[in-house]
Amino acid sequence: MALRGFCTGLKTTLRRGRAFRGPVTSAFSGTEFALLQGHNPQPLLRPCCARQLDLTGPVSFAAHAQALAETSASDPAPSVYRIEVVTGDVRGAGTQAPAIVTLYGESGGSSDYVVGNEQDENGFERGSSKKYELSVEKDLGVLKRIHVEQCEPSVTDTGSGWFLDKIEVTGPDGQAVVFPCHSWIGKNDAGDISGPVSNQRNLIPCERLDLPAIQFQDLEQPLKVQASAIAVPHPEKVHGGIGKAVNKKKTGWGGEDAYFCTTGPHGILGMGIADGVYQWREKGIDAGEFSRLLMHTALEAVEEGQPDVLKVMQAAASRVTAAGTQGSSTCCIVLIDTLHGRLASANVGDSGFMILGVTNNNPKPHVKFRTPQQEHQFGCPYQLGHHQAADPPEDAMLTALPLIAGDVIVMGSDGLFDNVADETILSEVQAQITAGKRASIIAQRLCAVAFNNSVDKDALTPYCVAATEAFDMVYSGGKKDDITVLVAHIQYATKDDFAGPVRQWFGATKKRYIRSKQYVHFAAQLARWFGKALVGVPSPFGAPPPSLLLLPQPASAPAPHLPSEC
């Protein structure tokens, strides 16, 4: 219960969840106050103007109510706002802690309302949608924002992280406004620190068009990617002779995990991870064949010049289906456009990636983005497969993000993210970057940390914390699994990085392509970036018209594969 205003003369104890109907003396005439019931988000009595009343005597509650009604007869009727709080359907999304919601509009702000503290069940469950009615003192007009603050957990911090998907508010006029969040409030039990560690968040309606959106612009200097990957199988698979690891330049696998990393035309670098479901082996099916063919086909699609990340995944899934390969697998594919500094991803399941780096608002290295796990329930991720219950590629979570030099992308199967918390990954990567280590060393180091935690029965891992919450039991230690790690370090490219690929490209084409729109476009880009022609690279006759810089590169001639180190 909350009491707004300064009142004295209370003759009873205020208890949580109880409506106070006893005598009270207001110390100041004209002070606004309201009594709030603990298990109800609505005020018990709407704010009113109290007179100097001595209510400590044997006066009936009806008399109190009549006196209050007389003093507030001129007050406007309260406005009812209906809100729907939607919790995300990702691992660790639920919480047992209630939250405080405050609405802000053109006419000011509302009172603080506690939601998620029902008598029968506290907090917000994973994938749940809870509705409340808020009786606000006045019409707030056009809503501008919602302030959400998570209350402190009453017993334990386990399960306190909350993945809030959105809040939908229906005002007195019947108009609904959506306030998206789709991120963590507080720290996730699965080790995710992509959201603010603070337990407060301001949500802005999605209809607000005056807010700056993510801007994708041509870079003043192109990027290059230093990338490397490693896969190791479950230790028991090695002893059984069924999980030997293979790590090559462009692809590799270990157990049912598989990965690829390759370059395509037009400055595109593609990489992906697939984690086959081991349980298919009980039916005589090797899901490793499914994941390996999935990644091999995705690699071919990238090298053939497919620039759409979802189409890469669709092509890979179609090829596996056409081949009649059985099994199922998670799948995460990322395409990096080094000429424009863009990342596009498609993710199905609990494999994923995170971006580490700095921003203008936060110059300290931090987690800039992290894909959440896609699960139907704990331990049952979304997956591509041959069976009817499999998820289609169209259900993939699609993401587009800007990249800058200095960013580090860490991709991994659940063998990495279930055994190593995000803050540990961040500290390990930062230590290796500071020491001048390459992407290959960083990937090996993260893989070693994940493996050591997976076989440690006493380690505090994201998986054991999430399992404790999901199964309502104490779980400790890591999770033995196949582990795949792929690290990509984004750096500035120099003209020397481009000279070799461009010379090779020109030598493989006929001389007439020197005046093609494709070559003119690319040569103009090089001149803009580096100020002069590259040594040994022919220049087109005459300066290209400015309009050519905006034309897409035609497919009449093969495009150069720009620098990367997969």
Side-chain angles (χ1 to χ4, degrees):
M1 178 177 291
L3 182 62
R4 301 185 67 186
F6 184 82
C7 297
T8 60
L10 295 177
K11 301 301 182 182
T12 185
T13 301
L14 299 181
R15 296 181 179 179
R16 176 183 177 184
R18 299 289 183 85
F20 174 70
R21 301 180 184 275
V24 61
T25 300
S26 175
F28 299 99
S29 177
T31 301
E32 285 193 354
F33 69 93
L35 298 179
L36 304 182
Q37 190 176 13
H39 289 302
N40 193 327
Q42 303 182 53
L44 176 63
L45 297 175
R46 61 188 177 89
C48 55
C49 184
R51 294 180 296 181
Q52 183 69 28
L53 298 176
D54 183 7
L55 304 179
T56 58
V59 183
S60 66
F61 183 79
H64 299 331
Q66 181 179 0
L68 294 175
E70 291 175 356
T71 60
S72 59
S74 60
D75 291 348
S79 299
V80 177
Y81 287 81
R82 295 175 175 84
I83 69 171
E84 181 178 3
V85 181
V86 180
T87 301
D89 189 13
V90 298
R91 181 182 298 181
T95 179
Q96 296 182 353
I100 300 174
V101 174
T102 310
L103 308 181
Y104 292 91
E106 290 180 328
S107 303
S110 70
S111 302
D112 297 336
Y113 294 90
V114 179
V115 295
N117 64 335
E118 294 79 6
Q119 294 184 6
D120 56 340
E121 191 171 3
N122 288 340
F124 304 91
E125 299 78 25
R126 168 180 172 174
S128 66
S129 176
K130 293 190 174 183
K131 299 180 179 180
Y132 305 91
E133 283 192 1
L134 310 183
S135 183
V136 181
E137 299 89 341
K138 59 182 179 181
D139 190 337
L140 301 177
V142 178
L143 293 178
K144 297 295 185 181
R145 65 184 175 95
I146 295 179
H147 182 265
V148 182
E149 179 179 355
Q150 188 184 32
C151 299
E152 293 293 331
S154 58
V155 179
T156 175
D157 288 338
T158 300
S160 62
W162 183 26
F163 190 90
L164 175 61
D165 185 44
K166 64 180 179 179
I167 295 180
E168 183 172 335
V169 182
T170 302
D173 57 357
Q175 295 294 322
V177 183
V178 177
F179 293 79
C181 180
H182 200 68
S183 58
W184 293 96
I185 296 180
K187 183 178 178 181
N188 173 23
D189 289 333
D192 182 7
I193 57 173
S194 61
V197 177
S198 170
N199 63 344
Q200 302 183 31
R201 195 72 178 267
N202 283 298
L203 307 183
I204 306 298
C206 59
E207 289 82 359
R208 288 282 301 277
L209 300 179
D210 57 331
L211 297 176
I214 296 178
Q215 299 294 326
F216 294 102
Q217 301 177 351
D218 286 350
L219 301 176
E220 292 301 323
Q221 185 174 350
L223 302 174
K224 67 176 181 179
V225 183
Q226 182 189 113
S228 182
I230 184 173
V232 297
H234 189 296
E236 295 179 2
K237 296 177 184 178
V238 177
H239 297 317
I242 60 174
K244 184 178 179 181
V246 175
N247 291 284
K248 301 180 180 180
K249 184 176 182 180
K250 292 184 178 181
T251 186
W253 58 87
E256 284 74 40
D257 280 10
Y259 68 86
F260 82 91
C261 179
T262 190
T263 55
H266 315 309
I268 299 295
L269 178 136
M271 51 190 186
I273 289 179
D275 180 6
V277 179
Y278 176 77
Q279 281 73 14
W280 283 109
R281 192 170 293 275
E282 298 175 359
K283 297 182 178 294
I285 298 174
D286 181 7
E289 294 182 0
F290 188 98
S291 62
R292 290 191 289 271
L293 182 56
L294 195 68
M295 291 293 94
H296 178 74
T297 307
L299 179 148
E300 291 180 340
V302 173
E303 292 185 343
E304 290 171 0
Q306 176 55 257
D308 189 309
V309 67
L310 179 58
K311 290 183 178 180
V312 171
M313 180 177 289
Q314 290 172 330
S318 298
R319 168 73 181 279
V320 175
T321 301
T325 305
Q326 294 185 322
S328 60
S329 171
T330 67
C331 183
C332 180
I333 298 175
V334 169
L335 299 184
I336 299 174
D337 183 348
T338 58
L339 299 183
H340 302 91
R342 303 177 187 177
L343 177 147
S345 70
N347 187 34
V348 174
D350 54 5
S351 297
F353 70 94
M354 56 195 300
I355 302 177
L356 313 177
V358 299
T359 59
N360 293 333
N361 297 329
N362 188 357
K364 183 179 179 180
H366 62 283
V367 179
K368 299 170 65 174
F369 176 81
R370 210 264 209 196
T371 54
Q373 297 96 339
Q374 285 184 297
E375 294 181 316
H376 295 288
Q377 59 188 22
F378 183 81
C380 183
Y382 284 36
Q383 52 197 269
L384 307 176
H386 76 279
H387 53 97
Q388 293 183 348
D391 303 286
E394 291 73 22
D395 285 350
M397 181 180 295
L398 304 178
T399 306
L401 297 166
L403 292 175
I404 61 174
D407 286 345
V408 177
I409 302 170
V410 178
M411 291 187 70
S413 61
D414 60 340
L416 171 67
F417 294 119
D418 277 350
N419 288 300
V420 187
D422 285 11
E423 54 262 42
T424 304
I425 295 176
L426 176 63
S427 62
E428 288 287 346
V429 170
Q430 183 62 21
Q432 299 299 323
I433 292 292
T434 303
K437 303 299 183 181
R438 299 175 62 83
S440 58
I441 302 300
I442 300 175
Q444 294 173 24
R445 174 59 185 166
L446 292 177
C447 187
V449 173
F451 181 83
N452 292 335
N453 287 349
S454 71
V455 297
D456 187 346
K457 296 181 179 180
D458 298 321
L460 180 62
T461 63
Y463 180 81
C464 78
V465 177
T468 298
E469 177 186 356
F471 301 129
D472 196 21
M473 58 176 287
V474 178
Y475 190 97
S476 64
K479 186 189 77 170
K480 294 181 181 180
D481 200 353
D482 303 328
I483 301 171
T484 300
V485 182
L486 197 157
V487 175
H489 188 192
I490 311 300
Q491 302 171 336
Y492 280 125
T494 65
K495 64 179 182 180
D496 294 334
D497 294 317
F498 280 81
V502 174
R503 280 198 298 269
Q504 182 180 6
W505 170 56
F506 180 76
T509 61
K510 295 182 179 180
K511 190 173 182 178
R512 68 173 183 270
Y513 288 130
I514 194 173
R515 303 197 66 175
S516 69
K517 291 181 179 180
Q518 181 185 26
Y519 189 81
V520 169
H521 174 95
F522 191 71
Q525 286 278 45
L526 294 178
R528 181 173 69 86
W529 282 332
F530 304 117
K532 58 182 179 180
L534 302 181
V535 177
V537 178
S539 299
F541 299 109
S547 60
L548 289 182
L549 301 181
L550 303 178
L551 292 176
Q553 299 182 13
S556 57
H561 288 247
L562 301 182
S564 67
E565 300 183 17
C566 289

